[in-house]
Amino acid sequence: PPIQQRSLIPDEFGTRTPLMALSCQPLGSFPPRLSVCVLLIVFVAAASASHDAPQDGTHDPTNVTHKKGFPVLLFNYDHVRTPFEISLWILLALLMKLGFHVIPRVSQVVPESCLLIVVGLLVGGFIKAIGEKAPALDDTLFFLYLLPPIILDAGYFLPVRPFTENVGTILVFAVVGTLWNAFFMGGVMYGVCQLEGGQLASVDLLSCLLFGSIVSAVDPVAVLAVFEEIHINELLHILVFGESLLNDAVTVVLYHLFKEFSAVGTVTVLDGVLAVVCFFVVSLGGLLVGAIYGVLGAFTSRFTSHTRVIEPLFVFLYSYMAYLSAEVFHLSGIMSLIACGVTMRPYVEANVSHKSYTTIKYFLKMWSSVSETLIFIFLGVSTVAGPHAWNWTFVVVTVVLCLVSRVMGVIGLTYVINKFRIVKLTKKDQFIVAYGGLRGAIAYSLGFLLPDHPMKTLFLTAIITVVFFTVFVQGMTIRPLVELLAVKKKKETRRSINEEIHTQFLDHLLTGIEGVCGHYGHHHWKDKLNRFNKTYVKRWLIAGERSMEPQLISFYNKMEMRQAMMMVESGSSAKLPGLISMQNIQPKVESRGRTIPKISKGREEEIRRILRSNLQQTKQRLRSYSRHDLFADPFEDMNENLSEMRFRKQRVEMERRVRLRVNEGRSAEERLFCRVFPISA
């Protein structure tokens, strides 16, 4: 017979209500899923009843405990709000970048940075429309999290040879050009403010110089975003981008200097001398900190052969610690990151595995791309967030002075630089360098960093206007101007062993010419540095036999690895031996019907050994000659006599062979004449 069961379960008010009994029918009469559900409900109800029952086993109807039921679904957004919103911002940045490249027509007309700022304006407007506070691009977010990945990517993959060959020109533009822009803009703005009167009459000279130091520096983020899209030639790219990297020290010193002076109100001669000393401390200190961390990172990578997984992490951590250590002492964090990446890269690439190298490369590219996208989006959002103080005179004069001071500075400095350059900068090059001086988020963040300055809001409004003008107007028109002026663009070619051999030959030749002339120039010191690097540094920072590997062999290995990567990415499963990559100056597309011969491991190692031993003879240490003292070589006369005797023997032998051929020709003619005219014969 069926048994009636009752269970007490708590309802939503906490009181117990009896659950009507279920008839204990055979389970076979229920569907399987329904049986499981019924048993589960009964089990949960029984567990709840047993949990609410008195512990002593007695039931007191007067003692009623109010307890809520077990929550099935909870909602606690505040617990994950910060990481969730960060993920949403990154996802928005990636989707915008993806949509930008999906529509090719838009990317050919409008730069990516412009579209990202527009997206930021729309997002900021939507956030403000719903009554929420839009997040602003504050200095902590920008300088500690968004800027380092971009600078590290630029420094780690910096083309060292073009940079070192043009470092003098870059330093002149970065130091002298930035100082000219800051003081010229500050002085003219002070005069305009005094003439305008009204609200601007309260702006003093030190505040104008502070504002000029903020908006005078070229922004590396904006330059990278625009110049990588127009594919300008390597010389112009390294001039503008190198200037944007190295002017950080000047900007930091001028910013802190004028900020302190504007708060105090007086400037002495001693303050000017200390400012000059501070410039060298900030720049050279940043380079030293970056070089130290770069050497530590390279030395650590020497011992990671058994733990390849953590190799990329050392590169990222040492670089970021270099940036933070420089910021602790108010040194140039950008120059520290550049020095760390340039110092670390050749030794790390020789120590880490191919997978680690690929991870470092693509993670840096991904990280810097996301940071760059977020910076431009936050610029748009911060513009909507405000506050703003608009003054037509101040804003318009600021935009005009940015263009005028840049053009005047480039033309004047180029006139002096061309007197010392072998490859002169043409008028077209000067125009691109002047027109490519873009401003970006660094200027906005420095303006945001200002303490409770009475003109902070006005300065921020003018800075945002300058950033928008340079990014939208100059960024959108520089591509058609480059095509209109027929400026030389970058050629996407891969260096071959033939080019590397000729490059090293020219380096050695120019070093020898400088030694003969007694002139210690650029190539002489470069050769000294290469000798020191090969003799001492490589032995400590590179593990195994690769520390003694010649430069040409190292380049050959890199080219072989690059060609193997291209084959893997193209889907080819065949393995190219090392000899094929040596013979082909440029990688050629193999025909489909051609089969590549397979070489055994032993034969491949033998080919590699022959190439390493015979491909390049290491540079021998020869006698150094000077134009002031040339001593006679005792073996010179003997060598000349031997060569003269050898030449005479060869000449006699050649004349004898010619005479024999002539005699043979005459005898043949005489025999023919005798056959034709036997009587005369």
Side-chain angles (χ1 to χ4, degrees):
I3 301 175
Q4 299 292 329
Q5 296 182 352
R6 290 180 179 270
S7 299
L8 297 176
I9 62 171
D11 58 6
E12 59 180 354
F13 299 101
T15 57
R16 300 184 194 176
T17 55
L19 178 68
M20 297 305 297
L22 296 172
S23 299
C24 292
Q25 299 179 1
L27 293 178
S29 60
F30 289 97
R33 294 182 181 179
L34 184 60
S35 302
V36 174
C37 294
V38 170
L39 290 176
L40 183 61
I41 293 174
V42 172
F43 175 76
V44 172
S48 300
S50 63
H51 183 269
D52 294 338
Q55 299 295 329
D56 54 358
T58 61
H59 176 65
D60 186 6
T62 61
N63 186 15
V64 179
T65 60
H66 300 278
K67 183 176 178 62
K68 294 183 178 180
F70 182 79
V72 179
L73 182 64
L74 292 176
F75 182 81
N76 189 7
Y77 177 70
D78 294 333
H79 180 62
V80 296
R81 179 171 184 171
T82 301
F84 188 78
E85 290 182 354
I86 292 175
S87 302
L88 283 180
W89 279 107
I90 297 177
L91 181 61
L92 174 65
L94 296 178
L95 291 177
M96 292 301 103
K97 201 173 187 67
L98 179 63
F100 174 77
H101 291 285
V102 166
I103 309 174
R105 293 184 179 179
V106 178
S107 61
Q108 293 176 1
V109 179
V110 184
E112 180 181 350
S113 55
C114 300
L115 291 179
L116 293 176
I117 291 178
V118 172
V119 171
L121 292 173
L122 296 177
V123 173
F126 176 77
I127 294 176
K128 197 170 184 178
I130 62 177
E132 296 290 336
K133 183 179 180 180
L137 183 64
D138 59 346
D139 57 297
T140 303
L141 174 64
F142 176 75
F143 283 109
L144 297 184
Y145 300 105
L146 297 180
L147 183 61
I150 302 174
I151 304 301
L152 176 58
D153 175 61
Y156 193 81
F157 297 103
L158 182 71
V160 180
R161 187 180 184 89
F163 183 81
T164 54
E165 290 177 351
N166 299 279
V167 66
T169 305
I170 294 172
L171 284 175
V172 170
F173 281 133
V175 179
V176 183
T178 305
L179 289 174
W180 157 258
N181 291 335
F183 284 98
F184 178 78
M185 290 190 62
V188 176
M189 287 300 302
Y190 176 71
V192 171
C193 292
Q194 296 303 313
L195 292 176
E196 178 68 18
Q199 180 187 1
L200 300 180
S202 60
V203 182
D204 57 350
L205 178 61
L206 291 177
S207 298
C208 291
L209 291 175
L210 174 62
F211 176 73
S213 66
I214 293 175
V215 298
S216 62
V218 180
D219 189 81
V221 181
V223 170
L224 273 177
V226 174
F227 272 55
E228 286 186 351
E229 294 182 9
I230 62 177
H231 302 287
I232 201 69
N233 65 78
E234 197 172 38
L235 174 61
L236 295 179
H237 183 271
I238 201 64
L239 286 181
V240 181
F241 180 61
E243 177 193 354
S244 66
L245 292 177
L246 298 187
N247 64 13
D248 177 68
V250 183
T251 304
V252 170
V253 172
L254 291 179
Y255 175 77
H256 290 290
L257 180 70
F258 291 130
K259 187 173 71 171
E260 295 294 332
F261 289 167
S262 62
V264 175
T266 58
V267 183
T268 61
V269 178
L270 180 61
D271 294 331
V273 175
L274 291 178
V276 176
V277 175
C278 182
F279 164 73
F280 288 101
V281 171
V282 168
S283 57
L284 298 180
L287 291 176
L288 180 62
V289 170
I292 291 174
Y293 276 98
V295 171
L296 289 176
F299 185 74
T300 306
S301 65
R302 183 180 180 183
F303 306 99
T304 57
S305 58
H306 300 290
T307 53
R308 297 292 189 185
V309 179
I310 61 176
E311 286 176 339
L313 199 58
F314 283 116
V315 176
F316 305 142
L317 289 180
Y318 276 115
S319 302
Y320 193 55
M321 288 175 64
Y323 180 83
L324 295 180
S325 300
E327 290 292 328
V328 167
F329 299 99
H330 290 282
L331 303 176
S332 176
I334 292 180
M335 298 186 72
S336 177
L337 268 180
I338 296 297
C340 182
V342 171
T343 305
M344 186 189 303
R345 182 186 178 184
Y347 310 107
V348 169
E349 287 184 356
N351 290 327
V352 302
S353 63
H354 169 60
K355 292 182 178 180
S356 299
Y357 169 74
T358 306
T359 303
I360 294 171
K361 177 181 177 181
Y362 285 101
F363 188 82
L364 282 179
K365 295 296 182 184
M366 178 269 297
W367 198 7
S368 63
S369 179
V370 172
S371 299
E372 177 186 315
T373 306
L374 288 175
I375 285 173
F376 287 112
I377 290 179
F378 273 112
L379 273 177
V381 175
S382 302
T383 303
V384 177
H388 300 292
W390 185 265
N391 187 289
W392 278 101
T393 303
F394 191 86
V395 172
V396 173
V397 171
T398 301
V399 174
V400 173
L401 284 180
C402 282
L403 293 175
V404 174
S405 63
R406 178 69 180 176
V407 173
M408 293 176 61
V410 169
I411 294 176
L413 293 177
T414 307
Y415 176 76
V416 179
I417 290 170
N418 279 340
K419 295 182 179 296
F420 303 93
R421 284 184 62 91
I422 298 176
V423 181
K424 311 296 183 182
L425 295 178
T426 62
K427 299 296 183 181
K428 296 180 181 180
D429 297 337
Q430 297 177 39
F431 175 79
I432 297 300
V433 172
Y435 203 73
L438 308 179
R439 275 68 168 180
I442 290 183
Y444 176 81
S445 299
L446 290 177
F448 192 86
L449 266 175
L450 288 174
D452 297 331
H453 196 279
M455 294 295 165
K456 179 179 179 179
T457 306
L458 179 61
F459 287 174
L460 280 177
T461 304
I463 290 171
I464 291 176
T465 307
V466 171
V467 171
F468 279 26
F469 179 83
T470 56
V471 172
F472 279 88
V473 179
Q474 296 179 220
M476 292 178 63
T477 56
I478 192 170
R479 185 198 294 269
L481 287 176
V482 166
E483 296 178 354
L484 179 64
L485 297 175
V487 179
K488 185 179 179 182
K489 292 189 177 182
K490 183 180 179 181
K491 295 181 179 179
E492 299 293 338
T493 58
R494 302 180 184 89
R495 294 190 64 184
S496 62
I497 289 186
N498 187 17
E499 294 178 0
E500 186 70 16
I501 291 174
H502 284 80
T503 301
Q504 293 189 19
F505 169 74
L506 290 176
D507 289 341
H508 296 165
L509 179 63
L510 293 174
T511 304
I513 292 175
E514 290 182 354
V516 171
C517 297
H519 172 69
Y520 298 133
H522 167 74
H523 294 88
H524 171 80
W525 295 112
K526 181 181 178 181
D527 182 70
K528 291 289 185 184
L529 183 61
N530 289 334
R531 285 178 179 271
F532 178 78
N533 181 36
K534 183 179 179 181
T535 306
Y536 301 103
V537 181
K538 277 189 174 182
R539 295 183 178 181
W540 285 97
L541 300 183
I542 298 180
E545 299 179 354
R546 300 199 66 178
S547 60
M548 305 299 296
E549 194 173 57
Q551 184 179 356
L552 191 59
I553 298 298
S554 177
F555 177 78
Y556 160 66
N557 290 330
K558 292 179 182 179
M559 193 185 71
E560 188 182 33
M561 185 62 68
R562 191 182 302 115
Q563 189 172 357
M565 291 175 59
M566 292 173 56
M567 292 188 62
V568 171
E569 291 176 358
S570 62
S572 175
S573 60
K575 297 181 179 180
L576 277 177
L579 184 60
I580 294 180
S581 61
M582 274 296 303
Q583 291 176 347
N584 295 333
I585 296 176
Q586 295 291 344
K588 298 179 180 179
V589 181
E590 302 291 341
S591 59
R592 296 182 178 179
R594 181 180 177 184
T595 58
I596 301 175
K598 295 183 179 180
I599 300 178
S600 61
K601 292 290 184 180
R603 180 60 177 167
E604 186 176 352
E605 291 297 328
E606 183 180 357
I607 293 174
R608 291 176 182 273
R609 180 179 58 80
I610 294 174
L611 290 174
R612 287 191 177 96
S613 59
N614 299 324
L615 190 60
Q616 179 195 30
Q617 298 293 334
T618 56
K619 188 177 180 181
Q620 302 295 330
R621 194 173 186 83
L622 304 175
R623 289 183 56 187
S624 58
Y625 294 94
S626 175
R627 60 174 177 170
H628 305 290
D629 50 351
L630 294 176
F631 299 98
D633 191 354
F635 299 98
E636 185 176 0
D637 296 335
M638 185 182 298
N639 294 333
E640 289 182 358
N641 293 333
L642 291 176
S643 61
E644 186 176 358
M645 291 173 60
R646 190 179 300 109
F647 175 72
R648 288 179 179 178
K649 289 181 179 181
Q650 292 178 356
R651 183 176 180 181
V652 170
E653 182 68 21
M654 187 179 297
E655 290 178 353
R656 187 180 63 83
R657 291 180 180 179
V658 171
R659 193 179 298 112
L660 287 175
R661 291 180 180 177
V662 171
N663 292 334
E664 289 178 358
R666 287 180 179 178
S667 60
E669 291 177 357
E670 290 177 356
R671 288 195 299 268
L672 181 60
F673 184 77
C674 293
R675 289 180 183 179
V676 177
F677 306 99
I679 299 175
S680 300

